[in-house]
Amino acid sequence: MIMSYLELFVIAVGLSMDAFAVSICKGLSVRRLKPRHNLICGLYFGGFQALMPVIGWLLGRQFESLIKSIDHWIAFALLVLIGANMIREAVKNEEENLNDSFSPKTMLPLAVATSIDALAVGVTFAFLDVSIVPAVSMIGATTLILSAVGVKIGNVFGAKYKSKAELVGGIVLVAMGVKILIEHLFFD
């Protein structure tokens, strides 16, 4: 199965929505926004969103032969679970308590937390035999850009777009999971 660049971009946008939402919150917490704030968020979130699928892909490759017959179900389940969780978080709409620090001590846990779903998508990529370099390049670059923009949006507009971003990201991931399952069941 070959995944198109458009499909990779759609997945990249869906995955980046958690980082985008947290970036909006970081922008909310900053009184005086500086370009380095945008760059720090973009690099942390984009870097981890690119790294985690590689780790997941490597893990998935190790177990690919054992579960090849059900890989489409695993891909479907992972994407739907990740997407449903993002939708649940968007609907729940709890307030995030983020400080205004951009130090590694603050940013590292946020970057890891927002990229865990990318690890699972990396496993899915291994099962679907997706070329990992273009995939992680697109995911990392998309997340870097959206995170940098998210800081500015949060600083200017406030929390208005946070839950909408999570909701859109969740819907996109669920839709991609359903598409993978339908393609495998009916067109393989």
Side-chain angles (χ1 to χ4, degrees), residues 71-141:
D71 60 358
H72 55 285
W73 287 105
I74 294 170
F76 167 75
L78 287 173
L79 290 172
V80 168
L81 286 172
I82 293 165
N85 188 51
M86 286 177 73
I87 293 168
R88 182 185 56 78
E89 287 178 11
V91 172
K92 193 165 61 171
N93 204 10
E94 287 182 351
E95 282 297 313
E96 304 250 352
N97 282 331
L98 295 176
N99 63 29
D100 63 353
S101 172
F102 286 80
S103 71
K105 182 178 151 186
T106 301
M107 294 304 297
L108 188 61
L110 290 174
V112 171
T114 58
S115 63
I116 294 297
D117 51 356
L119 180 84
V121 170
V123 172
T124 301
F125 284 169
F127 298 151
L128 298 176
D129 205 28
V130 171
S131 180
I132 196 65
V133 173
V136 298
S137 298
M138 187 161 311
I139 291 168

Side-chain angles (χ1 to χ4, degrees), residues 115-168:
S115 63
I116 294 297
D117 51 356
L119 180 84
V121 170
V123 172
T124 301
F125 284 169
F127 298 151
L128 298 176
D129 205 28
V130 171
S131 180
I132 196 65
V133 173
V136 298
S137 298
M138 187 161 311
I139 291 168
T142 302
T143 304
L144 185 149
I145 292 166
L146 288 175
S147 296
V149 169
V151 174
K152 182 68 174 174
I153 289 172
N155 190 255
V156 173
F157 296 107
K160 184 178 176 182
Y161 299 107
K162 178 188 172 293
S163 63
K164 288 179 179 73
E166 286 181 327
L167 181 64
V168 168

Side-chain angles (χ1 to χ4, degrees), residues 24-91:
I24 289 172
C25 292
K26 291 302 286 179
L28 278 167
S29 70
V30 178
R31 292 183 201 267
R32 182 167 227 173
L33 186 65
K34 298 177 184 169
R36 70 181 178 90
H37 295 128
N38 304 71
L39 183 61
I40 290 169
C41 269
L43 289 175
Y44 267 101
F45 294 140
F48 273 85
Q49 286 284 7
L51 174 66
M52 292 299 225
V54 171
I55 295 169
W57 183 80
L58 291 170
L59 290 170
R61 285 293 205 208
Q62 296 298 314
F63 302 106
E64 181 181 17
S65 63
L66 299 173
I67 53 178
K68 189 68 175 164
S69 64
I70 59 168
D71 60 358
H72 55 285
W73 287 105
I74 294 170
F76 167 75
L78 287 173
L79 290 172
V80 168
L81 286 172
I82 293 165
N85 188 51
M86 286 177 73
I87 293 168
R88 182 185 56 78
E89 287 178 11
V91 172

